[in-house]
Structure formats: structure tokens, C-alpha cells
Amino acid sequence: MSKTVGRNDPCPCGSGKKFKRCCLDAPAITRRDTPPDVFDIEIIVDTPRGPMLRRVPAASPLRTDIQQGTAAEGATHEAAAVWGLPDFVFRAELARTGSGVRELGDGLVLTRRYALSVQVKSREGSLGSEEKERRWIVKKAAEAIRQADGTVRQLRLRSTQLTNLRGYAIDIDATSYSWVNVVVIDHPSPPEETTLEVDTARHPAVVLLRRDWEFLFEQLKSTTSVAQYLERVAGKPSELGFEAVRYYDLAQADAEAPPDAFAPELVAGGEVISAPLLPLAPAGTDDRRALQILRTLMEDIAVTRLTSTSEADRLRMLSEIDRLPVGQRAVIGRRVLDYMAQVDEDVTQPGLVWRMSSVRAADGRIHLGFGTCSHPYTDPSVAVGLQAWTQLRHYDVLQAAGPNVVDELTTVAVIATPRFDGKRPWDTSVSAVSGPVSFDASHLRVLREHFPGQGALDCSPT
């Protein structure tokens, strides 16, 4: 039984406010006969700290100047682009087949190794009875799953160039992804007790309301985290309209699970931070500014004109950064903000001052670097130093994690450097390295002198 939360206690929702000024007077759970896609729904989650109220907003309103189906597809894309990144969302493309051309889905979402084949089905008007509406949903969901399977099949036949919502064209090898079929139902009032069987799909499938698709992206604010969640629940039947309930059930299980073991050689004297994969409170609730700095760094990388790398490489770097667990992003963001605040003092010191954090997963397959340098990036020594740090720390993780991660590990390091021309206060720069890295003894000794230690911060998802 959960204990009662006092009026002056911190609100269990994680807002940082007192309970009496937050969820105490919130209205009760919405009645089950309220159409889920028309009004907000509210869920009370039992937590060790007491009851937590969560409001799941209704689906965003659709544009009225275009066909409803097209508007529903656009809203689905927009939610993934706004709360995730537009770089991971790809428009539907036309592919040539033996009999002509076919559209490759209603949209695709691609991250480091996860891919979502998305189909959107929008209900116009009403059939007049719950049973007819239920049959419409079951029929359209089955049709959408077949279409999603067909999209993946076509994409796997050959490398395909797709255009993301940032406007960049990228060659995609569909065989390198783990695919999930996602059916988004846009329905004004879906009937209760509509449970959809999804075990006939070639690829794991999940069917959810557009409201729940938007809830997942707003809750997690990470395309990779949403894709991981959908792969986790795909293939399992669930009552339509209750995706948020399933989410919180899993989030509670994550909160109660013991953290993964972290090898001492990977920690390397750093700080181990463990957090659930699925947070109970929306991402950024504890520190919105810290979360925003990471989004800003990613946006800078996304819009910078490329000079020595490809769009596929850019997508790979953004995908690696997006693998950073949601529950640890505020910690990293605060660290970067602290480093940035110290730059004014650093620029008065002789030479380059680096403040870097090495962020590692427990299995050694995620490695990121975040930090600052005291000199502008126009100083050639900064680019050389960033590349050297990235290679050295990549080498350190490979030495600690062993040969099993060599083909999988990509180290990405991001730094903010000051500008003094008045155009903007900071530049964002990124460096990445994959595969084996080796140094001769003298080179390694020099690098260790410039970058002593092996890391300041190490993160582990549970």
C-alpha cells in the first residue's frame, strides 16, 4: 500500500513543486466512457513515494485545409520531429516495382539500429455503432501491418535514398536495422475493449492511437528511446487507447529493477549514474534547461554545413548522441552548463583548457564525450585536440570493454567553444571515431600528458 503524500511534501510527479501546489487538487481519473481521443485522460500511478497523477493530452488538432488522412500523417511526423529530431524522420518515397510504383509507407523513423515502418489510418465520419467502429479499426490495422511489412520488404531489396524532414537525402541500407511496424490510428472516439492481435506480422508490430504516439515522444523526448520502447512492446496485444497505462506499468518495473553491473575498468575512477530506461516523470521535468542544452548541441550539429563528412555520417553521429539514456540527460546537461560557465575564467589561463566528461554505458557499446575548450574553434589546436581526445578515449573504452565491441562502438565527442565576434556566444564542434585504434608507446604517453585520467562521468541505464 502506498503511503499518503503530505500537502507540503514534494509532488510525486517530479515537478519540483509542493504537492498542494501541483497534483493535490487535480481532477479525478477521466471516466472510461469519455472518448479517449477527444479529451485528456488522467492516470494515477502508485509509486513508492505515493500516488502520482499523469495527464495524457488529447491528440493534437489536425489541419483543416488538407485531406484528413494527409493531415494525420503530417501530425504524426511532426510529433516525432518536434520532440525527437527531424533528422530521424523520413518522408514516404515512391519505389519502382515490376508493375509500376508503390509508396514506401506513410513515413519512416530511423535511428542508430532501430527503424520504424509507420502507417497512419485516419477515421473520417462515423459508422454509427461501436461494433462497426471496432471492425473498421481491426480491418485497417491488419491492412496497415501488411503495408508496413511490404515497405520493409521493398527497402531491403536495395539501398534506397530517402529524404528526412531536415531536407537531407541519405542512402539507407535497410538490412542494417531492427524493424518494428507501427500503426497509428487516428480515430475521434474508438470503442472500448478493442484489443488488436499483432502476431501475424513479419516484423514485430504495435498499434496505438495518435494520442499515444504523441504521448511517447513528449514523455521521452528522444527518438531512440521511443523506438526502444516500441520494440519492447511490439508483438504483444494491448487494448487500444491504453498505451500510456502500459508505459507506466513498465516504467514502474524499471524503477524497481536493480541497476546493471558496471565493470570497474570501464568506470575508470568516474561516477556511476543509474536511472530507469523509462522515466515516470516526463524527460526534463527536473531540469528543462539542462535537457535543452543537449538539444541545442544536436541542432547545431544537424544544421552545420558539412565539409569533410557525409549526411550518412552526420545521421550516425546524431543517432549515437540520441542513445544517451533519458534519465541521465539532465545530469550531462548540467555538467556541460557548468563547464560553459567556467570558460570566462579559462580563457585567461595560458594554453588550452579542456573540460570534458566521458560518458559510457555498462556494456561498453555507448561512448560519448561532452565538454568545452577555452579557445575558439578557429584556433587549429582546438580541432587537433578534440580529435586526439576522441581517439584516446575511444582507445580507452576498447581496452576496457574488450574485442567484442570493436565493430559496434562509435565514440562521438561534442564541445562548445567561445566566440568573440558578437555573432553568437558559442560554436558547437563534433568529432567521431569507429573501429580499432592503436598508438605507439611514445604517442600514447604524450596524449596521456595532455589528457590525464580516463573519464569524469560514466552513466549506466538499468
Side-chain angles (χ1 to χ4, degrees):
M1 187 72 111
S2 300
K3 62 182 180 181
T4 303
V5 181
R7 289 173 54 82
N8 292 310
D9 290 341
C11 186
C13 78
S15 66
K17 301 177 182 179
K18 292 182 179 180
F19 185 46
K20 66 182 180 182
R21 300 189 182 279
C22 192
C23 293
L24 176 63
D25 297 322
I29 292 180
T30 303
R31 289 176 53 189
R32 285 287 307 275
D33 57 359
T34 302
D37 242 13
V38 176
F39 302 105
D40 295 358
I41 66 167
E42 291 167 346
I43 301 170
I44 294 179
V45 183
D46 238 1
T47 76
R49 297 173 56 190
M52 177 181 67
L53 184 138
R54 279 282 173 264
R55 181 175 289 108
V56 181
S60 60
L62 297 178
R63 290 176 55 180
T64 57
D65 59 332
I66 56 178
Q67 289 186 340
Q68 182 173 310
T70 303
E73 291 177 17
T76 301
H77 298 163
E78 184 178 4
V82 169
W83 297 111
L85 271 184
D87 307 78
F88 301 140
V89 186
F90 291 78
R91 302 184 181 96
E93 301 280 350
L94 295 178
R96 292 196 174 276
T97 64
S99 58
V101 295
R102 64 169 293 167
E103 189 176 61
L104 296 177
D106 292 334
L108 302 169
V109 178
L110 307 178
T111 63
R112 168 68 170 81
R113 75 175 191 85
Y114 299 101
L116 308 180
S117 178
V118 182
Q119 289 287 335
V120 182
K121 298 297 180 183
S122 186
R123 180 78 182 95
E124 298 186 46
S126 174
L127 295 176
S129 75
E130 283 197 355
E131 187 53 37
K132 289 182 178 179
E133 295 292 346
R134 187 175 291 107
R135 286 200 298 269
W136 181 91
I137 291 172
V138 171
K139 176 183 176 182
K140 291 298 180 180
E143 176 185 298
I145 289 174
R146 291 194 298 271
Q147 291 169 337
D149 276 333
T151 292
V152 180
R153 184 174 60 253
Q154 286 293 324
L155 287 170
R156 283 184 163 175
L157 291 176
R158 62 187 66 85
S159 178
T160 306
Q161 188 174 84
L162 301 174
T163 302
N164 63 20
L165 295 193
R166 188 79 66 176
Y168 301 146
I170 303 173
D171 290 328
I172 300 297
D173 177 10
T175 62
S176 63
Y177 293 95
S178 175
W179 285 88
V180 176
N181 295 337
V182 181
V183 180
V184 178
I185 300 292
D186 180 61
H187 195 292
S189 182
E192 294 180 23
E193 300 179 1
T194 301
T195 300
L196 300 162
E197 299 297 332
V198 292
D199 56 359
T200 59
R202 288 178 177 269
H203 303 281
V206 59
V207 182
L208 69 167
L209 293 176
R210 186 166 63 88
R211 179 201 67 210
D212 292 328
W213 168 268
E214 294 177 354
F215 157 75
L216 290 174
F217 274 96
E218 186 172 3
Q219 174 78 12
L220 295 169
K221 298 180 179 66
S222 160
T223 306
T224 299
S225 295
V226 171
Q228 287 175 329
Y229 170 83
L230 291 173
E231 185 184 59
R232 183 174 175 179
V233 302
K236 302 172 184 176
S238 177
E239 186 174 346
L240 188 66
F242 283 79
E243 197 61 53
V245 175
R246 176 159 64 174
Y247 173 92
Y248 284 118
D249 284 343
L250 292 174
Q252 283 182 293
D254 283 357
E256 296 166 2
D260 291 342
F262 215 120
E265 56 270 25
L266 267 171
V267 176
E271 174 189 0
V272 176
I273 301 172
S274 180
L277 287 173
L278 299 177
L280 287 168
T285 298
D286 53 345
D287 194 333
R288 193 174 299 276
R289 183 166 176 258
L291 192 72
Q292 185 60 41
I293 190 64
L294 292 181
R295 172 66 183 245
T296 299
L297 294 174
M298 294 177 75
E299 286 285 347
D300 283 350
I301 295 169
V303 301
T304 298
R305 184 173 62 87
L306 298 180
T307 57
S308 59
T309 190
S310 68
E311 290 298 344
D313 289 334
R314 188 204 312 255
L315 183 66
R316 175 69 176 269
M317 289 187 288
L318 289 171
S319 297
E320 289 293 336
I321 298 170
D322 198 51
R323 294 173 73 191
L324 186 64
V326 173
Q328 296 150 5
R329 294 189 177 203
V331 177
I332 310 301
R334 283 192 290 271
R335 182 67 63 92
V336 173
L337 289 171
D338 288 344
Y339 290 163
M340 294 171 74
Q342 295 166 22
V343 164
D344 286 342
E345 177 183 336
D346 294 340
V347 296
T348 64
Q349 301 183 37
L352 275 65
V353 179
W354 295 88
R355 298 182 183 274
M356 299 292 296
S357 287
S358 176
V359 184
R360 304 163 186 181
D363 61 2
R365 286 176 166 79
I366 300 176
H367 183 217
L368 305 170
F370 295 96
T372 60
C373 182
S374 59
H375 283 210
Y377 196 74
T378 51
D379 183 335
S381 300
V382 177
V384 172
L386 176 59
Q387 185 178 30
W389 186 95
T390 309
Q391 292 177 337
L392 176 62
R393 294 296 176 249
H394 184 79
Y395 170 85
D396 289 338
V397 173
L398 289 179
Q399 292 297 303
N404 291 337
V405 305
V406 171
D407 294 333
E408 192 170 341
L409 180 67
T410 296
T411 294
V412 179
V414 185
I415 61 168
T417 54
R419 290 183 65 143
F420 304 112
D421 58 6
K423 292 183 179 180
R424 54 180 293 177
W426 300 93
D427 278 328
T428 300
S429 303
V430 62
S431 174
V433 60
S434 299
V437 172
S438 61
F439 303 102
D440 60 46
S442 60
H443 190 191
L444 185 60
R445 184 171 59 255
V446 170
L447 289 176
R448 294 274 186 234
E449 290 173 356
H450 283 86
F451 301 110
Q454 289 193 28
L457 184 66
D458 300 273
C459 291
S460 168
T462 57

